Amino acid sequence: MLLSGAGTGAVTSPALVAVSYVLGALLLVGALATVLLRTLNAAMTGLVGTLVVAGILYMVLGGGLPLVLVQVVVVGAGMGALAFLSLRWIGSSEAAASPFNDQLIPAVLVAVAVTALLGAVTVAASWPGATASRVEASLWATLTNTYPVGLATLVVIVLSVAAGGALLLTGRIPERSRSAETASARPKRRRTRPDTTA
Amino acid sequence: MSVDLSYFLTLSAGLFGIGCFGMLAKRSALAVLMSAELMLTGANLALVAFTRFGAGAATRHAPGAALALFASVSGAAEFALGAVIVVVIYRSRRTVWVDDYDLKG
């Protein structure tokens, strides 16, 4: 098997081990908060915390400064855009409440099954712990030398998204359609929960 | 006491599973988008962990980190565009609930 026997040494520094465990716990708590909290602001805060903790974990793992910077940019730009768009066009009261839908039980089952499958693959692969050198921050050189086409594609994707998003937001939208009237005729309690609903 | 690849992969699986649950269980399109971001972060964490502990670590190249960077930027773009689409649909249909979306009409 390709992965088995190909790994490098484990992290043995007591400080790094402790940091890894703390960050891991924070990561999972933040992810659970993102999913379980029902207000948009709380969920967004949970997601920002999760992504920031993931960026710190990248640093612990030696992922390279560019990756951490990108993570920070993702956090800042993504969450800023979400907050701006939701508050500007939807309003916090409309976007805030997010109860679970009717597929709650199947969703739990699917999520548990996916997690168990990933865990089983992890255990069955029995990752080894041979000693090797730590990866240094040669990420930018790798990107520019080995993946120039990928980098250019990424730039095109980002520019396309920016242009497409701007066009979508500035375009004329039919104000209300038949399905909107149908949706607005549904019980208001489904869309007007207070922000403080937990 | 030590941490190795298994720990980070377990963490990644947990993050992916939580995101999967949120994506299937939440009704708000914005919450679904955020759950997708969680799943993407879980996958990225696995990629970075493979870079640190996996087969490519000894070569001092960073293909996993490069792939994670590509995935992060693509995910951010997808997230932003998804949020814009949700806003556009909201302006037309006045709802963010995915149950109320009927894109045929």
Side-chain angles (χ1 to χ4, degrees):
Chain A
M1 181 183 291
L2 174 65
L3 294 174
S4 183
T8 65
V11 176
T12 54
S13 163
L16 273 184
V17 169
V19 166
S20 298
Y21 281 126
V22 170
L23 290 177
L26 288 176
L27 194 71
L28 293 181
V29 167
L32 283 173
T34 305
V35 170
L36 295 180
L37 295 180
R38 291 186 175 183
T39 64
L40 179 66
N41 291 336
M44 211 187 307
T45 305
L47 182 59
V48 168
T50 305
L51 294 180
V52 167
V53 170
I56 299 173
L57 261 181
Y58 293 166
M59 279 199 289
V60 171
L61 286 168
L65 190 59
L67 183 59
V68 178
L69 288 178
V70 164
Q71 182 74 5
V72 171
V73 169
V74 166
V75 172
M79 293 305 103
L82 178 62
F84 173 75
L85 290 173
S86 59
L87 295 178
R88 166 70 177 80
W89 271 282
I90 299 177
S92 59
S93 61
E94 280 286 345
S98 179
F100 294 111
N101 63 15
D102 298 336
Q103 286 83 41
L104 179 60
I105 301 301
V108 171
L109 295 178
V110 170
V112 169
V114 168
T115 308
L117 178 64
L118 292 174
V121 169
T122 302
V123 171
S126 65
W127 313 107
T131 304
S133 62
R134 182 184 173 87
V135 176
E136 299 299 330
S138 59
L139 180 58
W140 184 247
T142 303
L143 284 176
T144 52
N145 296 331
T146 313
Y147 306 108
V149 177
L151 204 57
T153 307
L154 210 58
V155 172
V156 171
I157 289 174
V158 171
L159 293 178
S160 304
V161 166
L167 285 175
L168 278 174
L169 287 177
T170 55
R172 186 174 175 278
I173 306 291
E175 275 306 314
R176 292 180 73 86
S177 64
R178 183 172 53 84
S179 58
E181 292 166 4
T182 306
S184 64
R186 297 185 183 191
K188 287 292 184 185
R189 60 181 175 82
R190 299 175 61 190
R191 288 188 286 130
T192 56
R193 287 179 177 231
D195 286 357
T196 54
T197 305
Chain B
M1 199 163 62
S2 65
V3 291
D4 56 5
L5 183 58
S6 301
Y7 169 74
F8 289 102
L9 289 183
T10 306
L11 209 56
S12 162
L15 204 56
F16 191 89
I18 292 171
C20 180
F21 165 76
M23 201 158 180
L24 292 172
K26 299 295 274 188
R27 295 187 63 227
S28 165
L30 296 172
V32 170
L33 274 177
M34 288 195 283
S35 299
E37 194 68 23
L38 280 182
M39 295 174 74
L40 191 68
T41 304
N44 284 342
L45 181 60
L47 288 173
V48 178
F50 277 123
T51 302
R52 170 65 176 80
F53 297 103
T59 64
R60 298 178 66 84
H61 290 301
L67 192 55
L69 191 143
F70 286 140
S72 284
V73 178
S74 307
E78 164 256 326
F79 187 79
L81 194 58
V84 169
I85 290 174
V86 169
V87 167
V88 169
I89 293 178
Y90 177 81
R91 287 168 65 188
S92 171
R93 313 291 171 94
R94 296 293 165 193
T95 180
V96 293
W97 302 135
V98 289
D99 294 347
D100 292 336
Y101 285 179
D102 178 13
L103 298 181
K104 290 182 295 185

